[in-house]
Amino acid sequence: MSTREKHNIQEAFKTKMDYDELLNCMRCGFCLPSCPTYIESGKDEAHSPRGRIAMMKAVVDGDLEPDEDVKRSLDLCLGCRACEPVCPSGVNYGRLLEQARDIIYQNKKLSFPVKATRHIVFDQLFPHHNRMVNFTSLVGFYQRSGLQKVARSSGMMKLFPETLRTMEKVLPSIPKKKEMKKRPSHLPPFASQKKKVAFFSGCLMDTIFLPTNDATTKLLQYAGCEIVIPDTQGCCGALHGHSGERDKAKEMAKKNIQAFEDAGVDYIITNAGGCGAFLVDYGHLLEGEPDWKERAVNFANKIKDITSVLIELDFHKLDLELDKQIVTYQDSCHLKNGQKTFMEPRQLLQSITGVDYVEMTDAGRCCGSAGIYNIVESEMSMQILDYKMEQTKKTKAKTIVTANPGCLLQMKLGIEREGLTENMKAVHIVDLLLSAYENANN
């Protein structure tokens, strides 16, 4: 990092960081036991929330240069926000982390490969739904055409890092392009109508995980919801907001607010914890823009996770049944810590006849997925996943339930790494609930 870059970053820290929020941290250390990177790094303070906040403040105060060590500490953070619920001062750590990362990445000169990759991912791919469809359909072609078998049998996959090789194995079967383009804009309820809702379909959820989106809308229909699905909506912007691309995240937020604000619905339903937590925070993201702040708050106030609305509509009181099995639940960090949705998934799982629900030790501790963290910080991610799999195995569960696509892939990755594919599976909660409902009622 050049002297000029350090100077620019330091000046930006002074003008853009929320100094009052930095001062809210009392250095009490309550956050330490909840921080996976602090634990897995051998209790290194530089990789704790308290340590990272201290570094941010020291940079603002001019007591510390924003060097590569500072950047490394911030990059290694999962952004799981597990520190927030246990903080007696209520420090909004996630917001501070996003501010700091944005400042660094907007003022540091990146290598050409990194800059090109970020441009493709953040500017050319995720903001454009049609491009996401085209890209993921290529992955589907790779799976269906026989190329996948050739790549595996020829040893070509050995050219890739172990985590990527394993991730390739656990990717779900990608829908065909024509299926991904058939998204309806309106769905009637199957039962007497109780609510009118809009569905936030997302980007990865509406391509790679399209069957889970379909399962979500079916559950809402069974629960008595009329559903509106605006076709002008797009990616929530979470990946951008967490990766130092806040201006792009704001553009995407505005697009989504416009897409939903005339829908006339009771709620906007999400089925991905990471997306939901970022959508809920649109009011903060756009608080500095007078023309958008109120609209963003109104939008955010309507966000509701699928599990919350199902409980509100008494879906757990309907007949739900599965083959007898032990089930455990892995919390989505952002669903739990961002949307404050914790008990609802458990209530739904415990209401299924045939399910013996066993709570996992540290179910709320991050699994190590964290967006693309398991790719860019593979070593730390796998350490965290190994701990998670230890706790999972202790439950003797046949089924691990999650509520976020990243968590789902990470737990599938863990099952594959542990050689447990014959004895254990990971599923999204809506897929399990739909199976339970249709098994009991058809």
Side-chain angles (χ1 to χ4, degrees):
M1 195 179 294
S2 70
T3 301
R4 184 64 182 170
E5 286 172 329
K6 290 178 184 177
H7 172 77
N8 290 343
I9 290 170
Q10 194 143 36
E11 289 304 306
F13 261 72
K14 291 177 182 178
T15 58
K16 294 184 178 181
M17 289 298 299
D18 187 340
Y19 198 70
D20 289 339
E21 196 67 54
L22 291 172
L23 290 176
N24 279 342
C25 177
M26 301 186 301
R27 316 288 190 263
C28 65
F30 276 40
C31 58
L32 301 182
S34 69
C35 178
T37 54
Y38 172 73
I39 296 166
E40 296 297 337
S41 65
K43 298 187 177 179
D44 184 344
E45 274 282 351
H47 299 312
S48 73
R50 177 173 69 178
R52 291 181 177 110
I53 290 173
M55 280 192 283
M56 293 177 204
K57 182 177 180 297
V59 171
V60 175
D61 292 341
D63 297 329
L64 179 68
E65 277 194 339
D67 56 16
E68 290 294 340
D69 288 339
V70 172
K71 178 180 178 297
R72 179 64 187 145
S73 174
L74 297 176
D75 284 345
L76 198 63
C77 180
L78 291 148
C80 68
R81 296 169 58 182
C83 50
E84 292 184 6
V86 299
C87 177
S89 299
V91 175
N92 288 304
Y93 173 80
R95 295 176 181 177
L96 291 173
L97 178 68
E98 287 181 8
Q99 288 173 359
R101 282 178 171 170
D102 184 59
I103 290 168
I104 289 173
Y105 277 95
Q106 296 308 314
N107 289 280
K108 184 182 186 304
K109 186 176 180 180
L110 304 174
S111 66
F112 177 76
V114 171
K115 189 174 181 179
T117 301
R118 289 176 69 91
H119 174 69
I120 291 169
V121 172
F122 295 132
D123 297 333
Q124 300 301 318
L125 184 59
F126 276 85
H128 307 281
H129 185 68
N130 283 339
R131 293 177 191 176
M132 286 292 295
V133 169
N134 291 335
F135 175 75
T136 52
S137 65
L138 289 176
V139 180
F141 175 77
Y142 162 77
Q143 292 176 330
R144 291 187 294 271
S145 65
L147 287 174
Q148 186 176 54
K149 290 182 180 179
V150 171
R152 291 176 179 178
S153 61
S154 67
M156 187 188 303
M157 295 306 300
K158 292 180 181 178
L159 298 173
F160 296 92
E162 181 186 354
T163 302
L164 284 178
R165 293 201 303 270
T166 311
M167 188 69 75
E168 186 264 355
K169 290 182 181 179
V170 302
L171 276 177
S173 297
I174 309 299
K176 294 180 180 178
K177 183 189 287 190
K178 64 180 181 180
E179 295 173 16
M180 289 188 269
K181 289 192 170 185
K182 277 170 52 178
R183 167 66 60 221
S185 59
H186 179 268
L187 292 167
F190 291 150
S192 59
Q193 184 168 330
K194 297 179 181 178
K195 295 286 182 183
K196 181 180 179 182
V197 302
F199 177 51
F200 184 84
S201 52
C203 47
L204 288 177
M205 289 303 301
D206 217 35
T207 50
I208 294 176
F209 296 97
L210 181 63
T212 299
N213 266 6
D214 291 339
T216 303
T217 53
K218 266 193 173 182
L219 285 178
L220 290 169
Q221 288 174 288
Y222 284 131
C225 291
E226 176 188 356
I227 309 168
V228 177
I229 308 172
D231 57 10
T232 54
Q233 63 177 299
C235 174
C236 67
L239 184 62
H240 299 73
H242 300 327
S243 303
E245 299 284 343
R246 282 176 67 83
D247 285 344
K248 194 69 182 179
K250 289 178 181 180
E251 288 179 30
M252 298 162 84
K254 292 172 184 176
K255 179 181 177 182
N256 284 322
I257 292 166
Q258 287 179 314
F260 283 88
E261 62 186 352
D262 294 327
V265 296
D266 300 301
Y267 303 124
I268 300 169
I269 306 301
T270 65
N271 61 2
C275 296
F278 199 73
L279 295 171
V280 163
D281 220 25
Y282 273 7
H284 171 72
L285 182 68
L286 297 172
E287 67 178 353
E289 303 194 26
D291 293 342
W292 285 94
K293 182 177 180 180
E294 186 177 349
R295 295 166 71 182
V297 169
N298 291 337
F299 173 91
N301 286 340
K302 289 190 175 183
I303 298 297
K304 205 173 189 72
D305 184 69
I306 176 67
T307 58
S308 293
V309 78
L310 290 178
I311 290 293
E312 181 178 327
L313 298 178
D314 292 330
F315 186 83
H316 58 302
K317 296 179 182 178
L318 302 178
D319 290 336
L320 304 170
E321 186 174 354
L322 290 171
D323 293 339
K324 190 169 180 57
Q325 59 189 285
I326 298 175
V327 170
T328 193
Y329 178 69
Q330 159 62 23
D331 281 290
S332 156
C333 294
H334 287 94
L335 183 60
K336 177 177 180 286
N337 303 322
Q339 288 182 270
K340 315 301 182 189
T341 301
F342 174 79
M343 285 306 302
E344 293 91 331
R346 290 165 170 80
Q347 285 178 262
L348 288 163
L349 294 174
Q350 291 167 358
S351 69
I352 303 172
T353 302
V355 162
D356 180 9
Y357 178 78
V358 178
E359 181 75 9
M360 183 196 309
T361 299
D362 287 339
R365 182 169 159 180
C366 187
C367 64
S369 172
I372 57 172
Y373 187 95
N374 54 3
I375 297 173
V376 298
E377 298 289 351
S378 178
E379 183 178 352
M380 177 60 78
S381 174
M382 293 304 103
Q383 281 182 237
I384 292 167
L385 178 58
D386 288 343
Y387 175 81
K388 181 62 67 175
M389 291 309 298
E390 286 177 25
Q391 309 315 313
T392 303
K393 287 187 287 187
K394 289 176 184 177
T395 68
K396 303 188 184 303
K398 174 185 175 182
T399 306
I400 310 170
V401 179
T402 74
N404 188 60
C407 301
L408 179 60
L409 286 179
Q410 185 80 339
M411 297 312 294
K412 286 187 173 185
L413 190 66
I415 291 170
E416 182 73 28
R417 279 165 55 88
E418 295 286 337
L420 297 172
T421 52
E422 298 298 320
N423 306 308
M424 187 182 289
K425 64 179 180 179
V427 299
H428 194 290
I429 190 168
V430 300
D431 293 312
L432 190 78
L433 289 171
L434 182 63
S435 294
Y437 179 86
E438 293 187 339
N439 185 56
N441 292 278
N442 291 339

